[in-house]
DNA sequence: ACAGTAACCTGTTTGC
DNA sequence: TGCAAACAGGTTACTG
């Protein structure tokens, strides 16, 4: 599910409800996620206040008066703000409790993670190797072009590589490549600087547009209030194999690149 | 350093 | 209709 727009939607949705609030407790119903939820989590969190809710890549960073709760939504995770008394359902693995509210983590596939750290987040093992944020000024066509030198991987794999740029998952990689007219299979080192400028721009545009719509809900992404994201209706190619290309009308193609389904137009994307 | 694959887990869709 | 295989928004870890 969640790529950068979905995580950002979640961040901005939960922040106003919990910022400044004091944590009164936690509930762990299933600790076996991508990594186990630390079993001493509650003693670190209880009584502390939420100072800020930030995001780095697809990680949500719940900054406390001391230390940070790191949450990743994996493939199928979501967070909701609910009244404390709400009965948990299946796959509701974790609650962060406040006086009257509860921040509830739901994740059927359990690829998500809930971790705790007291070190500066930028130094954390999962975060320190990450590339720039795609919506930051340092992410440019020139930067991408440089990263591509000496790399023969498909350009789609390059832009989905978190060491190169974060937050671009399968949906938005497909969309941005279509909008740039670049074939997803093209070797990264065989694309001009100009085309990389276009690509960097389209990545920024599509992510920003998706954030505006509250992300993309394909099956189960929920915003913090339980509503879906509305960007799915604006997707041009993702999941649309066989349908006419919005540019030329030729049927869109589907192909696996690096174990992921890729959707593209063989005529408009070269 | 790079490229490719398997692994984590559950639910839904597809194909025989 | 039933069952098994394939596939799904992510990322690490391992292999060659």
């Amino acid at each position: 599910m969640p790529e950068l727009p979905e995580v950002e939607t979640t961040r901005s949705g939960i922040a106003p409800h919990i910022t400044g609030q004091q944590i009164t407790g936690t509930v762990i119903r299933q600790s076996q996620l991508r990594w186990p939820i630390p079993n001493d989590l509650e003693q670190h969190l209880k009584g502390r206040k939420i100072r800020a809710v930030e995001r780095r890549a697809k990680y949500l960073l719940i900054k406390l008066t001391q230390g940070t709760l790191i949450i990743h939504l994996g493939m199928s995770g979501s967070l909701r703000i609910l009244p404390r008394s709400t009965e948990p359902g299946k796959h509701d693995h974790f609650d962060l409790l406040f006086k009257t509210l509860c921040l509830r983590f739901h994740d059927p596939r359990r690829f998500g993670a809930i971790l705790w750290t007291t070190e500066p987040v930028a130094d954390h093992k999962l975060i320190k190797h990450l590339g720039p944020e795609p919506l930051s000024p340092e992410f440019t066509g020139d930067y991408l072009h440089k990263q591509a030198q000496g790399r023969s991987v498909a350009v789609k794999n390059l832009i989905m590589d978190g060491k190169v740029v974060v937050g671009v998952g399968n949906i938005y990689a497909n969309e941005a490549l279509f909008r740039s007219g670049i074939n997803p299979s093209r070797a990264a080192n065989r694309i001009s600087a100009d085309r990389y400028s276009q690509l960097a721009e389209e990545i920024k545009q599509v992510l920003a547009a998706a954030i505006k719509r509250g992300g993309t809900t394909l099956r189960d992404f929920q915003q913090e209030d339980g509503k879906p994201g509305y960007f799915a209706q604006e997707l041009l190619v993702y999941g649309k194999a066989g349908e006419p290309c919005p540019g030329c009308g030729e049927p869109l193609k589907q192909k696996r690149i690096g174990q992921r389904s890729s959707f593209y137009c063989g005529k408009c994307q070269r």
Side-chain angles (χ1 to χ4, degrees), chain A residues 31 109 111 147 174 204 210 224 226 237-239 266:
Chain A
S31 65
R109 291 181 71 180
F111 287 170
Q147 291 294 311
N174 279 296
K204 287 173 193 278
E224 90 294 342
V237 293
Y238 184 85

Side-chain angles (χ1 to χ4, degrees), chain A residues 135-156:
Chain A
L135 295 173
S136 72
E138 60 175 310
F139 178 68
T140 63
D142 282 347
Y143 166 82
L144 260 189
H145 183 58
K146 271 205 187 91
Q147 291 294 311
Q149 297 317 301
R151 296 198 60 178
S152 59
V153 281
V155 59
K156 178 158 180 272

Side-chain angles (χ1 to χ4, degrees), chain A residues 138-200:
Chain A
E138 60 175 310
F139 178 68
T140 63
D142 282 347
Y143 166 82
L144 260 189
H145 183 58
K146 271 205 187 91
Q147 291 294 311
Q149 297 317 301
R151 296 198 60 178
S152 59
V153 281
V155 59
K156 178 158 180 272
N157 290 340
L158 183 82
I159 62 173
M160 290 179 70
D161 180 346
K163 294 189 284 302
V164 173
V165 58
V166 301
V168 183
N170 201 29
I171 296 178
Y172 301 111
N174 279 296
E175 293 295 311
L177 286 163
F178 174 76
R179 291 163 191 236
S180 324
I182 298 172
N183 189 299
S185 302
R186 176 168 286 275
N189 57 2
R190 294 189 52 241
I191 295 174
S192 70
D194 274 1
R195 301 187 82 199
Y196 271 121
S197 293
Q198 173 89 20
L199 179 56

Side-chain angles (χ1 to χ4, degrees), chain A residues 3-66:
Chain A
E3 300 184 36
L4 186 146
E6 292 73 39
V7 179
E8 179 57 25
T9 295
T10 300
R11 188 204 64 75
S12 64
I14 67 175
H17 293 100
I18 66 172
T19 304
Q21 299 289 309
Q22 185 173 41
I23 296 166
T24 59
T26 61
V27 181
I28 300 174
R29 299 187 191 81
Q30 166 61 274
S31 65
Q32 298 305 303
L33 305 180
R34 177 71 198 268
W35 297 283
I37 301 178
N39 51 20
D40 60 350
L41 190 58
E42 183 163 67
Q43 73 190 63
H44 295 296
L45 302 185
K46 204 168 175 177
R48 297 247 161 85
K49 281 190 180 165
I50 311 280
R51 199 158 49 75
V53 183
E54 299 175 358
R55 177 188 60 73
R56 172 72 175 108
K58 296 171 192 166
Y59 295 94
L60 279 166
L61 308 173
I62 310 220
K63 304 246 174 163
L64 307 188
T65 38
Q66 192 198 322

Side-chain angles (χ1 to χ4, degrees), chain A residues 6 172 214-223 227-232:
Chain A
E6 292 73 39
Y172 301 111
T216 299
T217 296
L218 293 182
R219 42 170 64 83
D220 53 12
F221 174 67
Q222 296 197 330
Q223 302 190 47
K227 293 201 192 101
Y230 297 101
F231 193 71

